[in-house]
Amino acid sequence: MKSLWNEHDAAQFTDDLGLRVYTSRLLGRDSSLVLHGGGNTSVKITQKNILGEEEEILYVKGSGWDLETIDRAGFAPVRMKHLLALAHLERLSDPEMVNELRTNTIDAAAPTPSVEAILHAVLPHKYVDHTHSDTLVTVTNTERGLERIKEIYGDSVVIIPYVMPGFDLARDCALRFALDAGPNTIGMVLLNHGIFSFGATARESYERMIALVDRAERYLQSQNAWTFSLPPVKPAPPSLRRELAALRAQLSQQAGTPFIVSWQDDEKSRAYAAHPETARIAQQGPATPDHVIRTKRLPLIGRDIDGYVRAYRDYFDAHAATAREPKTLLDPTPRVILDKEWGMAAVGHTAKDAAIVRDIYNHTIDVILRAEALGGYRALSARDLFDMEYWDLEQAKLRKGGKPPLFTGEVALVTGAASGIGKACVESLLARGAAVVGLDIDTAIASLHNKAAFRGIHCDITDETQLIAALETAVRAYGGLDMLILNAGVFPPGRRIEALATAEWQRVMRINLDANLVLLREAHPLLKHAPRGGRVVVIGSKNVPAPGPGAAAYSASKAALNQLARVTALEWGGDGIRINSLHPNAVFDTGLWTEDVLAARAAHYGMSVEHYKTNNVLKVEVRSRDVAELAAEMCGPLFAKTTGAQLPVDGGNDRVI
Ligand code: ZN
């Protein structure tokens, strides 16, 4: 492990807090040190308050901020005097502690200080860095963890036996640090939890962290426990989407709410799942206790969801009975699934939650395999992990959670998603909490949104193989398919029938009609497994009820698609799948409407472009977003009892009315 300190970059940060921001980001850049909010940093600064008095303030990472992207505003300023006084209390409940931290910040707009704030305060150094380093938890999660830490560090660290984060840990650290710290102390190791370093400058504290972790890495290397090999495995099955969608349906059904299930079938995941000792090594617990909140204590190995849920309830009952306060059972759904053929799945209420679980478990695999090589992985006891999972601060957070967005945990697929109505549909569905897969022939689709809830796939929908591959990718990414928006289409230049070439007619039919038949057919087994019932929305056209001259191929293709949708409604109602059509007209902010087409159509009706845009009964311009919002709502509860319907979204058209 190497220091990432760079003089040139550091020079942009001139004051104490600025340098705190800089080295915090350096820590955040290494996911083996800091992962998804794990770890925190602080700096102590003496400054004048509004009365002109000198006051020492602890700037400590605020909750909800990640070290990788933290800014000055991410550090909560808390009065040191009060923090040190709190550290001397005999006892303080964790909710009381959080209240004290919040009410003793000097900025009303500050984030809630880290629950480890008191711990930072009691360490008598200007800068304090704390990480949940994979390497440290690897060494300490073994049978002889304590002895190994002593062997690696000698008197350069103070060692703290495991205590759950919160007030008790802060007080323990204060006492032990006062007793054990000597002239050579540059850090503190918290067994089964992580490591602290400290120093007089931002650079010193940061580089001590790097040096300390580097020593542990070298130790693992010297013990042949750094690189590990896994037995070879057979290639992953090429087509799994139906089985995966069925498993997600079962998972969602027992929970009573849809889940995102994100699969990775790389060799490492499959080999780990197939490891002969999986039942022992993977069934102990997470690498560090804060992971239990994301991943739960144990993964599901195999596919017996009911068995997992029963075991989880037993674990809850056994530990809740002896807890100090009453506990409420959390959702017992597994968050990690290991399957020797399918690989590893991360489960979450949202795609972002699932992505976090996936990252954490990928690190967990490394920690477990290295600890195994070192002499045997040994996680915290079920009791300690239960106390963390059911920590009253975490339970309070759950009680606070408001109503989630409409499509939380659901998956939508939109064709023609890179521009116009399709792009707007992606936005409307994302805004309602869905994970969205966008297909488009335009390669720009891949980078349309940079977020866990979006996957853009470059795809020619007239190519059956590509379409099927896209569905496979969609299901592996999110677990299944709940909503389908058939939007992709072409609007060729106006041409009278006597001039319409067969090839052009066929091209329009292939894109606007045939591709949708293939997609519907291939999506059916997936939509059938949608936990809340499958939904399809067809973006039709005003040309269905009121065709225009010069648009024979387009009008005929959309009319045929309309008829296909009506038959679909009849055939699939029994599977709980509903399909409805929208007929937009004159939506000009789309890929179809080039300047030329727009001008030609306006001229055809003898109008200015402006007049043409609002040429409807209500005299309003219909935008992509208007169509998309209606399409999204058609997938929601408002239309729960409607199928086979056609709805105009055209500002009112006298030929349609
Ligand atoms: Zn920690």
Side-chain angles (χ1 to χ4, degrees):
M1 175 157 290
K2 294 236 171 342
S3 167
L4 301 174
W5 178 276
N6 173 298
E7 280 301 338
H8 175 78
D9 292 348
Q12 334 243 322
F13 300 90
T14 46
D15 63 334
D16 291 346
L17 184 57
L19 285 160
R20 178 67 286 173
V21 168
Y22 173 61
T23 56
S24 300
R25 289 182 188 167
L26 294 185
L27 289 176
R29 271 162 57 180
D30 188 334
S31 64
S32 79
L33 289 175
V34 166
L35 193 60
H36 295 301
N40 40 58
T41 56
S42 69
V43 57
K44 301 176 183 81
I45 297 172
T46 300
Q47 60 190 60
K48 273 206 172 66
N49 67 19
I50 201 146
L51 304 173
E53 301 156 348
E54 296 268 310
E55 201 172 16
E56 194 179 17
I57 303 296
L58 177 82
Y59 283 83
V60 64
K61 196 201 89 155
S63 67
W65 285 80
D66 262 313
L67 290 183
E68 190 178 3
T69 50
I70 200 161
D71 221 321
R72 303 171 80 92
F75 287 91
V78 199
R79 294 188 179 92
M80 273 293 286
K81 199 175 157 198
H82 194 71
L83 289 170
L84 293 175
L86 289 175
H88 285 103
L89 287 176
E90 242 336 278
R91 62 187 310 161
L92 183 67
S93 77
D94 291 326
E96 283 171 333
M97 178 183 74
V98 171
N99 183 60
E100 291 304 305
L101 298 181
R102 280 183 63 92
T103 52
N104 281 280
T105 62
I106 57 163
D107 178 356
T112 301
S114 160
V115 293
E116 280 162 344
I118 298 176
L119 215 166
H120 281 258
V122 299
L123 293 170
H125 296 268
K126 186 172 177 71
Y127 285 88
V128 175
D129 293 39
H130 170 48
T131 72
H132 298 166
S133 152
D134 284 356
T135 309
L136 263 292
V137 296
T138 301
V139 176
T140 64
N141 283 1
T142 56
E143 200 164 331
R144 291 179 43 245
L146 174 63
E147 289 153 61
R148 291 177 197 280
I149 291 296
K150 285 182 179 162
E151 195 182 324
I152 297 168
Y153 294 119
D155 63 352
S156 41
V157 301
V158 169
I159 301 172
I160 312 289
Y162 179 77
V163 175
M164 203 176 101
F167 179 71
D168 293 349
L169 174 62
R171 211 199 35 203
D172 273 24
C173 289
L175 292 174
R176 210 165 262 267
F177 192 84
L179 289 173
D180 294 355
N184 296 328
T185 306
I186 57 167
M188 185 163 75
V189 171
L190 279 58
L191 297 181
N192 308 91
H193 173 158
I195 179 165
F196 278 81
S197 65
F198 26 73
T201 65
R203 182 175 186 173
E204 182 177 57
S205 182
Y206 165 73
E207 291 193 333
R208 281 176 173 175
M209 172 64 71
I210 301 301
L212 287 168
V213 175
D214 188 58
R215 268 201 249 175
E217 274 188 17
R218 285 169 196 275
Y219 174 80
L220 285 180
Q221 283 159 2
S222 74
Q223 304 292 308
N224 293 323
W226 184 250
T227 48
F228 46 80
S229 61
L230 283 161
V233 281
K234 284 188 292 190
S239 170
L240 278 177
R241 58 189 186 282
R242 293 178 187 207
E243 291 88 338
L244 299 185
L247 186 80
R248 168 178 175 257
Q250 207 195 333
L251 197 81
S252 304
Q253 197 182 13
Q254 70 76 31
T257 186
F259 273 98
I260 297 295
V261 184
S262 180
W263 287 89
Q264 66 177 41
D265 64 357
D266 60 301
E267 228 173 80
K268 183 172 144 189
S269 313
R270 283 180 300 117
Y272 178 73
H275 193 287
E277 299 273 347
T278 303
R280 179 179 59 81
I281 61 175
Q283 293 297 61
Q284 291 194 33
T288 149
D290 64 335
H291 290 172
V292 77
I293 293 150
R294 300 286 196 173
T295 64
K296 297 218 167 278
R297 191 171 74 91
L298 303 176
L300 161 62
I301 296 176
R303 300 165 203 173
D304 179 8
I305 294 165
D306 292 341
Y308 181 93
V309 169
R310 270 197 307 278
Y312 184 87
R313 287 176 188 277
D314 290 347
Y315 151 80
F316 174 80
D317 291 342
H319 296 288
T322 51
R324 267 185 289 179
E325 324 82 16
K327 301 291 179 193
T328 313
L329 175 72
L330 296 171
D331 160 27
T333 310
R335 293 299 193 274
V336 177
I337 304 173
L338 297 170
D339 186 286
K340 59 185 176 200
E341 283 175 64
W342 299 353
M344 189 252 281
V347 179
H349 286 296
T350 65
K352 192 179 170 191
D353 287 349
I356 291 173
V357 168
R358 188 185 53 222
D359 287 352
I360 289 176
Y361 208 77
N362 279 323
H363 281 265
T364 305
I365 293 176
D366 291 350
V367 169
I368 290 180
L369 292 176
R370 285 181 180 142
E372 271 299 295
L374 197 59
Y377 179 64
R378 185 170 275 208
L380 281 170
S381 72
R383 173 84 244 174
D384 284 324
L385 291 165
F386 177 87
D387 288 344
M388 190 70 194
E389 189 177 355
Y390 284 87
W391 191 7
D392 39 12
L393 294 183
E394 291 297 328
Q395 298 248 302
K397 257 192 243 167
L398 289 173
R399 281 194 295 274
K400 248 196 321 199
K403 205 171 166 229
L406 194 58
F407 297 147
T408 300
E410 296 199 282
V411 187
L413 186 143
V414 181
T415 63
S419 61
I421 292 172
K423 184 177 169 190
C425 285
V426 170
E427 277 155 25
S428 294
L429 291 161
L430 285 173
R432 285 166 176 76
V436 184
V437 177
L439 269 48
D440 208 292
I441 196 150
D442 182 350
T443 51
I445 189 67
S447 51
L448 186 62
H449 293 277
N450 179 23
K451 50 171 73 178
F454 179 78
R455 180 71 69 92
I457 303 173
H458 174 229
C459 175
D460 175 355
I461 59 165
T462 64
D463 180 333
E464 217 165 298
T465 314
Q466 286 188 36
L467 209 46
I468 290 170
L471 284 174
E472 188 73 24
T473 304
V475 174
R476 285 175 194 239
Y478 300 123
L481 183 65
D482 304 277
M483 295 168 270
L484 180 59
I485 312 284
L486 302 179
N487 165 69
V490 284
F491 188 87
R495 216 181 298 282
R496 290 173 58 87
I497 291 168
E498 53 269 38
L500 182 55
T502 310
E504 172 144 317
W505 168 269
Q506 287 174 339
R507 185 181 75 93
V508 174
M509 289 295 164
R510 268 204 308 278
I511 300 169
N512 291 5
L513 179 62
D514 302 355
N516 288 317
L517 169 73
V518 176
L519 187 48
L520 283 170
R521 186 187 69 214
E522 296 300 323
H524 176 254
L526 307 174
L527 291 168
K528 219 170 60 174
H529 284 305
R532 291 180 180 151
R535 286 140 281 165
V536 183
V537 175
V538 176
I539 307 298
S541 167
K542 179 229 60 171
N543 281 34
V544 173
Y554 179 78
S555 303
S557 68
K558 287 288 188 181
L561 176 60
N562 193 62
Q563 207 69 343
L564 174 63
R566 296 173 70 192
V567 176
T568 307
L570 292 170
E571 291 188 2
W572 292 2
D575 295 323
I577 304 169
R578 47 197 179 79
I579 176 165
N580 294 296
S581 299
L582 280 178
H583 294 319
N585 187 34
V587 180
F588 298 112
D589 57 340
T590 74
L592 297 179
W593 287 92
T594 59
E595 296 278 308
D596 289 351
V597 177
L598 189 56
R601 296 313 292 169
H604 178 86
Y605 290 103
M607 294 175 200
S608 70
V609 168
E610 270 324 292
H611 185 199
Y612 184 61
K613 276 187 178 179
T614 55
N615 183 31
N616 52 49
V617 171
L618 295 172
K619 303 278 175 248
V620 290
E621 187 182 341
V622 182
R623 296 189 171 87
S624 292
R625 194 186 133 76
D626 301 320
V627 182
E629 284 290 294
L630 193 51
E633 283 305 310
M634 281 183 131
C635 295
L638 205 57
F639 285 78
K641 295 173 184 175
T642 302
T643 193
Q646 304 173 45
L647 204 59
V649 48
D650 57 6
N653 182 292
D654 49 15
R655 289 180 57 210
V656 175
I657 294 168

